[in-house]
Amino acid sequence: MEESQELKQDPLHEVKERFKYAVEAWAENRQRFIDDSKFLAGDQWPEEIKSMRDKDGQPCLVVDKLGQYIRQVVNDSRQNRPSIKVRPVDSGADIETADILQGLCRHIEDRSDASSAYDTAVDGAVRGGFGFIRILTEYAHDNTFEQEICIERVRNHLSIIVDPDFKKADASDIRYAFVVDEVPDDEFEDITDEKNPDFEVGELGWTAKEGHRIVAEYFEIVPRQRTLHMLVDGTVVPDEEYQMALDEGLQPPSIIDTREIESNVVMWSKLHGKGYIEEPREWIGKYIPIAMVMGNEIDIDGKVSYTGLCHNALDAQRLYNYSRSAFAERVALAPKSPYVAASGQVENHPEWEDANSTNYSVLTYDPINIDGVVVGAPQRQPASDIPAGFSQDMQLSEHDIQASLGMYAASLGQQGNEKSGKAIMARQREGDTSTFHYHDNLARTIRHIGKIVVDLIPKVYDSKRVLRIIGEDGTPDMVEINPQATQSKMKIGSKTIYNLGIGTYDVSVTAGASYTTRRVEAAEAMMAMTQANPQLFGIIGDLMVKNMDWPGADEMAKRLKLMLPPQVQQAEQQEGEQSPEVQQVMAQAQQAMMEKDQMLQQAEQLIQQMGQEMQSIKQQIENKQYENSIKQAEVSLKEQELQIKAFEAETNRIEAMHDGSREALIKAQADITKAGIEADTQIQVAGINTLAKEPETV
């Protein structure tokens, strides 16, 4: 009862409980992220030791040995960034449409500068153990209502708190997430009309800087029950679509099976500590649009820790700083060796007071006799030695750093004991292997981002429009989409129209050198081949020039292609390059198929219209049959009346015969004849009316 009253008083009770639980669960990892990031930024001496050494005038040197390893991993990721690959799954999907989706994903990445989002996320994972990426929707430009998908960079990875109980390696199964922002006081009051409703920052250990308030975006997955129907033609449709068809007067195929399923709906809201800034509403996608890149993940009895590349090397870096500072203090900052002079030799010469630190061209002194013996000139003492232990300790500390990271000199391009190129590459591969999990984790995250984007594409691009796509080589192209098209790909003359909402598509990632790098390598390899075999240029010359990056290369490649041997050109035509005549025939066939599809659609509409008319005619027939039954009952009553009259006339005739009255007999005979004529007339009239009321045969 107390809990229900609390819920009524505070609509954000459950949200705050989740926020508190998530902050507490992430507290240790977040603090480690902060400490490691500060250390890598140069704050490498404990504060108490630094204060003591500053007081005594002792140096606290920081010689950063870790930054080069972080840059090596992050920049290697930039050179070999994974790319999204879209693949068709079911019969409704199409390979060419999958290529269009893939090109659209490249356009989205290019437009939203997704590379910076990926680089910042992997940098956070390498430095502190985790990084985040957001997926948003925004208007394409100021003068339109059309939306675009955006992959957004998250610079402050501590601004996002996700469900700590996820299990999957790409964190795609998170149930809720918070995106926290610090808003200046004046802006906060403009959007909330409140003065002090922080998001309970004091209790949850989250403090805003002075003059700011904290607000949060909140995503959560809400399960909902749905009903699925299997129709007699094998189609599976949700109940809402089936009911919509019935409401529109259509006659969908009958249902042969039904089952209940639980589907997830993502809800979004914006809130502060006292209530909602924007009420919860449904997010258009089925995934929470936040992706996480992990560093090192360690699960110890259910408690998960995330660490970066350098976490285990911090102590070795500290030892190196201590040794380097002690060496500097002992040697570089030590005063010059003093002079030893007899009493009375230098008292009258003030230059001797700083002779150990200042270079004088001449130093004069007063000769002194002691017991008749002349004392020699003042002598400088031998210089202080350099302990060999300092150098050895620094070397050991640097080796400890490399051992902690699993990266040695060859990984950074430094010269080692290796002599052959194969040995150097083997040592470099060892360093790459020790840090490969960072690139692999980024690939998993980009795969999840691809799933989010492919899920959003048919929902965001939901109107007839022309979109830009980007090919693997960076070449842009334009395609037309139409969500009303009946197939995923339709040919209308020479134009192809795509419906990106038909079919199911899966996402994978491919990692490796960029297309530009592979193109340069291909050109170099083909040049080496043609140098060894000049006759080969006549066969592959167009491909070699096409992969070269200089003005006019494409035009030259086209001309060289025209000079290919006839058998090569014929083979290419057989593999797919059709002649204009074949292309024209195929276009005509595709046009005929389109016309056939249109005729089928018109026939289906005509059948539906005829079905409705048949229903109307059937109702009319039933109404007319009811009227005929009433008319037949009236005829039956009329026949009974005539029979009664005939019976009365016959009775009169018998009585007249009995009485012997000739006049009465003639009258009775006339009545009988009249009754017969009326009966025949009534039956004929009733029959004519009945025939007139009968419906026409359909």
Side-chain angles (χ1 to χ4, degrees):
M1 180 68 67
E2 293 180 0
E3 183 178 356
S4 62
Q5 290 216 340
E6 185 178 0
L7 287 172
K8 289 181 181 178
Q9 294 175 358
D10 187 1
L12 301 181
H13 176 74
E14 182 180 356
V15 178
K16 290 180 180 178
E17 288 297 317
R18 279 186 167 181
F19 185 76
K20 183 176 181 180
Y21 170 73
V23 168
E24 291 175 350
W26 278 94
E28 188 174 332
N29 287 307
R30 290 169 59 82
Q31 189 59 49
R32 186 185 300 112
F33 186 103
I34 294 172
D35 294 341
D36 291 358
S37 298
K38 287 182 177 180
F39 187 93
L40 295 171
D43 187 8
Q44 299 183 0
W45 284 81
E47 193 60 37
E48 59 276 11
I49 296 178
K50 186 177 180 181
S51 299
M52 292 173 58
R53 293 180 67 86
D54 288 343
K55 187 182 298 183
D56 297 336
Q58 297 173 301
C60 296
L61 301 182
V62 174
V63 182
D64 182 22
K65 289 287 184 178
L66 300 177
Q68 56 185 337
Y69 298 99
I70 292 176
R71 290 189 294 272
Q72 178 71 21
V73 176
V74 174
N75 291 334
D76 189 30
S77 174
R78 293 186 178 192
Q79 293 178 342
N80 300 278
R81 186 175 296 112
S83 58
I84 298 172
K85 178 73 174 177
V86 182
R87 303 171 300 185
V89 174
D90 61 4
S91 59
D94 178 76
I95 295 177
E96 188 173 340
T97 306
D99 292 338
I100 298 300
L101 284 169
Q102 189 169 327
L104 186 54
C105 289
R106 293 194 195 99
H107 160 72
I108 292 170
E109 289 180 319
D110 178 73
R111 179 185 178 277
S112 54
D113 193 19
S115 59
S116 64
Y118 300 154
D119 297 340
T120 305
V122 76
D123 184 82
V126 173
R127 290 179 182 274
F130 54 87
F132 292 99
I133 302 169
R134 292 194 65 184
I135 298 90
L136 306 173
T137 60
E138 60 185 13
Y139 290 110
H141 51 82
D142 293 340
N143 299 321
T144 185
F145 286 92
E146 294 179 344
Q147 297 248 321
E148 289 274 1
I149 300 172
C150 177
I151 300 174
E152 187 179 67
R153 170 178 177 248
V154 177
R155 189 175 65 177
N156 179 12
H157 301 295
L158 298 178
S159 65
I160 294 180
I161 291 283
V162 300
D163 173 18
D165 297 327
F166 65 87
K167 300 291 188 270
K168 293 186 178 181
D170 57 359
S172 60
D173 57 336
I174 57 176
R175 298 170 301 157
Y176 58 89
F178 296 88
V179 182
V180 181
D181 190 19
E182 296 183 4
V183 179
D185 286 341
D186 52 351
E187 295 182 14
F188 185 84
E189 293 176 10
D190 290 340
I191 62 176
T192 62
D193 296 328
E194 299 280 355
K195 293 188 179 297
N196 296 311
D198 273 355
F199 197 65
E200 300 292 334
V201 293
E203 298 178 6
L204 302 179
W206 196 315
T207 56
K209 56 180 175 283
E210 185 177 357
H212 289 70
R213 294 288 181 266
I214 288 185
V215 298
E217 293 179 67
Y218 176 54
F219 293 92
E220 67 169 333
I221 289 180
V222 178
R224 287 186 180 175
Q225 293 292 330
R226 296 179 60 203
T227 303
L228 278 185
H229 299 306
M230 176 177 282
L231 308 184
V232 68
D233 61 353
T235 306
V236 177
V237 297
D239 180 68
E240 53 268 22
E241 291 186 11
Y242 192 84
Q243 296 300 327
M244 187 181 299
L246 294 177
D247 294 340
E248 293 177 355
L250 303 177
Q251 292 293 331
S254 58
I255 300 172
I256 61 173
D257 196 7
T258 298
R259 73 185 184 98
E260 298 293 327
I261 63 171
E262 186 176 278
S263 63
N264 293 330
V265 175
V266 179
M267 302 298 293
W268 174 90
S269 58
K270 193 170 186 179
L271 39 88
H272 56 73
K274 302 298 182 183
Y276 289 104
I277 299 174
E278 295 188 43
E279 293 289 334
R281 63 173 181 263
E282 186 173 336
W283 167 252
I284 59 175
K286 65 180 180 180
Y287 301 101
I288 291 179
I290 294 174
M292 175 181 174
V293 181
M294 298 182 193
N296 301 309
E297 182 186 33
I298 304 172
D299 189 329
I300 303 176
D301 195 21
K303 185 177 182 180
V304 184
S305 298
Y306 299 99
T307 59
L309 173 69
C310 299
H311 180 71
N312 294 329
L314 301 186
D315 289 340
Q317 173 68 60
R318 289 191 183 97
L319 286 174
Y320 187 89
N321 290 337
Y322 296 160
S323 299
R324 196 70 182 87
S325 298
F327 179 86
E329 184 181 3
R330 179 67 180 269
V331 179
L333 299 182
K336 293 183 179 180
S337 301
Y339 284 86
V340 176
S343 178
Q345 284 186 310
V346 297
E347 277 76 358
N348 297 324
H349 304 279
E351 62 270 18
W352 283 94
E353 293 181 1
D354 57 353
N356 67 323
S357 59
T358 304
N359 293 324
Y360 291 103
S361 59
V362 176
L363 292 173
T364 58
Y365 68 98
D366 295 329
I368 298 296
N369 292 325
I370 299 178
D371 297 331
V373 179
V374 178
V375 178
Q379 299 292 324
R380 184 187 289 273
Q381 293 299 300
S384 59
D385 62 334
I386 302 175
F390 284 136
S391 298
Q392 293 176 357
D393 190 50
M394 285 187 289
Q395 291 177 359
L396 287 174
S397 298
E398 188 162 5
H399 178 76
D400 290 341
I401 291 173
Q402 295 176 350
S404 300
L405 301 175
M407 300 175 68
Y408 296 90
S411 299
L412 301 174
Q414 297 179 15
Q415 185 175 359
N417 297 325
E418 301 84 359
K419 300 300 181 182
S420 67
K422 184 178 291 186
I424 295 173
M425 291 181 64
R427 177 63 65 87
Q428 289 176 339
R429 280 197 300 270
E430 289 180 6
D432 292 341
T433 301
S434 67
T435 59
F436 177 74
H437 58 288
Y438 292 102
H439 309 299
D440 198 39
N441 289 344
L442 176 62
R444 289 195 183 101
T445 300
I446 292 179
R447 179 174 182 266
H448 179 50
I449 291 174
K451 288 184 177 181
I452 296 174
V453 171
V454 170
D455 173 60
L456 290 177
I457 281 176
K459 302 166 185 174
V460 174
Y461 305 102
D462 58 350
S463 60
K464 184 177 180 181
R465 57 197 284 194
V466 176
L467 299 176
R468 186 183 79 152
I469 62 172
I470 297 179
E472 184 183 10
D473 59 353
T475 304
D477 197 3
M478 307 301 289
V479 296
E480 183 176 343
I481 65 168
N482 186 357
Q484 305 302 322
T486 57
Q487 299 176 10
S488 60
K489 181 187 72 172
M490 298 180 64
K491 277 277 191 180
I492 303 178
S494 60
K495 184 171 62 173
T496 305
I497 296 177
Y498 300 91
N499 185 348
L500 305 180
I502 294 180
T504 304
Y505 297 88
D506 194 10
V507 175
S508 63
V509 293
T510 56
S514 65
Y515 181 84
T516 302
T517 303
R518 288 185 282 125
R519 185 179 65 176
V520 172
E521 292 175 352
E524 292 176 352
M526 285 187 281
M527 287 182 65
M529 294 170 63
T530 54
Q531 288 175 356
N533 185 4
Q535 291 78 14
L536 197 60
F537 182 82
I539 301 175
I540 65 171
D542 61 320
L543 300 177
M544 183 175 69
V545 174
K546 186 178 180 180
N547 284 297
M548 294 181 178
D549 191 11
W550 39 264
D554 291 339
E555 288 75 9
M556 185 175 180
K558 292 178 182 178
R559 296 186 181 185
L560 289 173
K561 190 172 184 178
L562 297 175
M563 300 174 62
L564 290 174
Q567 58 269 28
V568 176
Q569 296 186 10
Q570 184 178 1
E572 287 191 353
Q573 289 181 359
Q574 291 176 352
E575 290 179 2
E577 292 190 1
Q578 297 123 355
S579 63
E581 293 79 7
V582 175
Q583 293 179 358
Q584 183 178 1
V585 172
M586 291 187 65
Q588 292 175 353
Q590 291 169 351
Q591 180 67 26
M593 289 294 293
M594 287 296 302
E595 293 176 354
K596 181 180 178 181
D597 290 339
Q598 293 177 356
M599 291 176 63
L600 288 174
Q601 292 177 4
Q602 293 175 358
E604 291 177 357
Q605 295 176 356
L606 182 59
I607 290 172
Q608 292 178 358
Q609 183 179 357
M610 290 178 63
Q612 295 175 355
E613 293 178 355
M614 288 284 291
Q615 189 70 22
S616 176
I617 293 173
K618 182 179 178 181
Q619 186 65 37
Q620 293 177 8
I621 291 173
E622 292 177 352
N623 294 337
K624 291 180 178 180
Q625 288 176 347
Y626 178 71
E627 293 176 0
N628 289 339
S629 62
I630 295 176
K631 184 61 66 176
Q632 289 174 356
E634 292 177 353
V635 171
S636 178
L637 289 174
K638 185 65 69 175
E639 289 178 351
Q640 292 178 7
E641 291 178 358
L642 294 175
Q643 289 176 0
I644 293 171
K645 288 183 178 181
F647 179 75
E648 292 177 349
E650 182 66 22
T651 303
N652 293 334
R653 186 181 70 82
I654 293 172
E655 290 179 354
M657 290 178 64
H658 185 268
D659 294 341
S661 173
R662 177 181 169 91
E663 294 179 358
L665 182 60
I666 293 173
K667 184 178 182 300
Q669 189 65 40
D671 290 340
I672 293 173
T673 303
K674 181 181 178 182
I677 294 173
E678 288 181 356
D680 292 338
T681 303
Q682 292 293 336
I683 291 172
Q684 290 177 4
V685 172
I688 292 172
N689 291 336
T690 302
L691 289 174
K693 293 293 183 178
E694 287 183 357
E696 297 178 359
T697 303
V698 179

